[in-house]
């Protein structure tokens, strides 16, 4: 909201030039700012190792870690707060280990940088419906909108899984649930796992609610607006997407009506907030950022509220389950699961799913999926030696 504007598209994609380019090209890092920084406190960024990063930095918040480094205040808002709020959390509550891991993935570990592949059609069309058809073609019974109420281990190593209308025996199970769903199922399944595992799951937290508002407007936004814009300092509004820039369904509607489709996200909303007021304020902030939308008529709108993302609080890493549970027939997957790999959120959910499947396939002597990952440690030997100075 101060007027600063940055783009990761211009940052070099080759580590460590990606990190150096981020600092050099960002308007938030002036020579005076760089002189004020505490380079020794920043050294852990240069050699992020998993899981050691959690041993070193899970005990402090992302906000306090950046304060210790003396990052410029503008950089706090323009870059790192946008990062931390993408975890659906206030940076004062988010573990510094997660923020630093994200820095490693995007700037020092991966040549992809902050560029993403996205589907060019809505997820049901591009991914979920074709996947369901593929699974059904292999004999899978896909049952959506079917809550699992309880899991009971059986003496022969199998499992009874109870839903609202039946109890069915299975040979193996993957609990791929959000934090709240995992707590509920494990809480209702007293014979599942052991006391320590169950206690850790009971302590898992869910991040505050978030809002996704999609607006169909009767006129286009300005032609030079980016497809995605992260924001800071605009009240509850965290980012704006112009969906007709990259999603086929929205693009066809926009061409047909000469309108546009805009999506607004608001993360880490206070649980007791007036939801109607948050929606109205997010729209008002859109008008500040893209003034041409102020005169647009809203043809249709959808507002989705959810509170199903994991919270990664300070000191919470030890409570998160690993892929393997105490029961060899039960695995856990999801974006809160410990994998031992440098992955975040969506990537962690997908990676843990593969790891869970691989672990179960081992029981039948079947080879699973080979997984590729960004390095588990810093890629540059020179930067690793520098980082070692900060550990002394």
């Amino acid at each position: 909201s101060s007027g600063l504007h940055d783009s990761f598209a211009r940052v070099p994609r080759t580590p460590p030039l990606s990190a150096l380019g981020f600092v050099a090209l960002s308007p938030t890092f002036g020579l005076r700012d760089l002189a004020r920084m505490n380079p020794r406190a920043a050294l852990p960024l240069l050699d992020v190792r998993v899981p050691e990063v959690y041993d070193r930095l899970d005990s402090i918040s992302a906000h306090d870690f950046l304060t210790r480094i003396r990052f410029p205040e503008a950089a706090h808002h323009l870059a790192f707060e946008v990062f931390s709020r993408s975890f659906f959390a206030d940076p004062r509550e988010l573990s510094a280990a997660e923020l630093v891991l994200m820095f490693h993935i995007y700037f020092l570990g991966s040549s992809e940088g902050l560029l993403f592949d996205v589907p060019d059609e809505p997820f049901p069309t591009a991914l979920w419906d074709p996947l369901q058809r593929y699974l059904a073609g292999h004999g899978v019974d896909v049952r959506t909108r079917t809550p699992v109420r309880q899991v009971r281990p059986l003496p022969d190593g199998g499992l009874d899984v109870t839903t609202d209308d039946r109890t069915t025996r299975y040979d193996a199970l993957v609990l791929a649930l959000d934090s709240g769903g995992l707590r509920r199922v494990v809480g209702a399944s007293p014979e599942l796992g052991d006391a320590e595992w169950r206690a850790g799951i009971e302590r898992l937290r869910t991040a505050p609610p978030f809002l996704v508002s999609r607006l169909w407007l009767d006129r286009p936004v300005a032609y030079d607006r980016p497809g995605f814009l992260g924001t800071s300092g605009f009240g509850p509004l965290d980012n704006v997407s112009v969906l007709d820039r990259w999603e086929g369904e929205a693009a066809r509607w926009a061409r047909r009506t000469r309108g546009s489709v805009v999506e607004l996200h608001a993360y880490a909303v206070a649980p007791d907030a007036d939801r109607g007021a948050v929606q109205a304020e997010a729209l008002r902030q859109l008008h500040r950022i893209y003034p041409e939308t102020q005169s647009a008529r809203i043809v249709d709108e959808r507002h989705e509220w959810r509170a199903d993302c994991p919270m990664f609080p300070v000191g919470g890493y030890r409570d998160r389950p690993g892929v393997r549970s105490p029961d060899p027939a039960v695995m856990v997957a999801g974006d809160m699961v410990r994998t031992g790999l440098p992955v975040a959120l969506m990537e962690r959910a997908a990676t843990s799913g593969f790891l869970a499947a691989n672990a179960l396939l081992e029981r039948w002597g079947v080879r699973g999926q080979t997984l590729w990952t960004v390095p588990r440690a810093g890629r540059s030997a020179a930067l690793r030696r520098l980082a070692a100075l900060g550990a002394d």
Side-chain angles (χ1 to χ4, degrees):
S1 59
S2 65
L4 288 172
H5 182 272
D6 211 343
S7 172
F8 293 112
R10 300 181 298 129
V11 174
R13 295 174 64 179
T14 304
L17 296 179
S18 44
L20 295 174
F22 167 65
V23 173
L25 295 173
S26 174
T28 64
F29 288 92
L31 292 177
R32 186 175 299 177
D33 297 316
L34 292 173
R36 288 187 61 255
M37 290 176 60
N38 179 355
R40 189 177 185 88
L43 289 177
L45 292 171
L46 304 181
D47 185 21
V48 176
R49 297 172 181 265
V50 180
E52 290 86 349
V53 65
Y54 292 100
D55 297 331
R56 297 183 64 185
L57 296 175
D58 195 47
S59 60
I60 65 172
S61 73
H63 174 272
D64 290 348
F65 177 74
L66 295 177
T67 299
R68 178 187 297 177
I69 296 175
R70 296 199 291 270
F71 262 103
E73 190 64 26
H76 271 237
H77 294 295
L78 191 60
F80 289 99
E81 186 167 328
V82 173
F83 272 175
S84 63
R85 290 184 65 83
S86 71
F87 282 96
F88 308 93
D90 186 290
R92 290 169 179 79
E93 296 191 42
L94 176 70
S95 164
E98 290 293 337
L99 182 71
V100 170
L101 181 62
M102 213 166 180
F103 182 90
H104 168 73
I105 293 169
Y106 291 134
F107 291 112
L108 292 178
S110 169
S111 61
E112 298 300 317
L114 276 161
L115 303 180
F116 289 89
D117 289 327
V118 295
D120 54 11
E121 293 294 339
F123 274 90
T125 304
L127 183 61
W128 305 129
D129 292 345
L131 179 59
Q132 179 169 340
R133 290 193 296 269
Y134 174 83
L135 293 172
H138 285 72
V140 175
D141 178 19
V142 180
R143 299 170 60 198
T144 60
R145 300 181 183 275
T146 306
V148 171
R149 302 300 183 187
Q150 187 183 58
V151 176
R152 187 170 69 88
L154 300 174
D156 64 359
L159 303 144
D160 272 350
V161 178
T162 299
T163 62
D164 286 340
D165 59 349
R166 70 179 82 168
T167 295
T168 309
R169 185 195 186 283
Y170 295 96
D171 295 326
L173 175 68
V174 178
L175 293 169
L177 304 168
D178 60 63
S179 299
L182 184 61
R183 286 198 310 269
R184 286 191 293 273
V185 170
V186 171
S189 308
E191 299 173 54
L192 190 62
D194 58 27
E196 182 180 0
W197 182 78
R198 295 173 60 83
I201 287 176
E202 179 60 31
R203 288 192 294 268
L204 293 177
R205 291 172 55 189
T206 299
F210 64 93
L211 165 69
V212 176
S213 291
R214 185 171 293 191
L215 311 173
W216 286 260
L217 307 179
D218 70 345
R219 64 197 65 188
V221 300
Y223 75 93
D224 58 345
R225 301 304 189 193
F228 176 82
L229 178 74
T231 62
S232 181
F234 290 92
L237 186 62
D238 284 290
N239 60 62
V240 180
S241 294
V242 183
L243 291 184
D244 50 274
R245 295 283 193 268
W246 45 269
E247 187 187 86
E249 183 181 68
R252 290 188 291 274
W253 185 89
R255 285 196 299 268
R256 188 170 64 249
T257 64
R258 298 183 179 179
S260 59
V261 185
V262 177
E263 192 167 279
L264 314 178
H265 290 199
Y267 302 140
V269 177
D272 59 351
D274 182 324
R275 294 189 170 185
V278 173
Q279 292 167 193
E281 181 60 17
L283 178 60
R284 191 180 77 81
Q285 296 295 339
L286 170 67
H287 295 160
R288 284 183 62 200
I289 299 169
Y290 294 167
E292 69 273 17
T293 63
Q294 192 160 1
S295 58
R297 181 173 64 88
I298 298 176
V299 177
D300 199 2
E301 58 189 305
R302 295 288 188 274
H303 303 282
E304 295 286 344
W305 283 91
R306 294 287 186 272
D308 54 8
C309 293
M311 182 71 180
F312 301 112
V314 175
Y317 181 73
R318 65 184 183 279
D319 291 329
R320 288 157 54 183
V323 169
R324 296 176 185 266
S325 82
D327 187 325
V330 178
M331 302 295 158
V332 187
D335 45 11
M336 90 295 284
V337 173
R338 293 182 293 174
T339 65
L341 298 172
V343 285
L345 291 180
M346 290 182 291
E347 298 88 350
R348 188 178 294 142
T351 299
S352 61
F354 280 118
L355 292 174
N358 288 353
L360 291 175
L361 290 171
E362 285 178 7
R363 305 178 70 205
W364 290 283
V366 178
R367 185 175 63 186
Q369 175 71 38
T370 300
L371 294 180
W372 294 88
T373 178
V374 299
R376 299 189 196 208
R379 296 171 63 149
S380 166
L383 294 183
R384 288 198 300 269
R385 286 193 291 270
L386 272 176
L389 296 177
D392 294 338

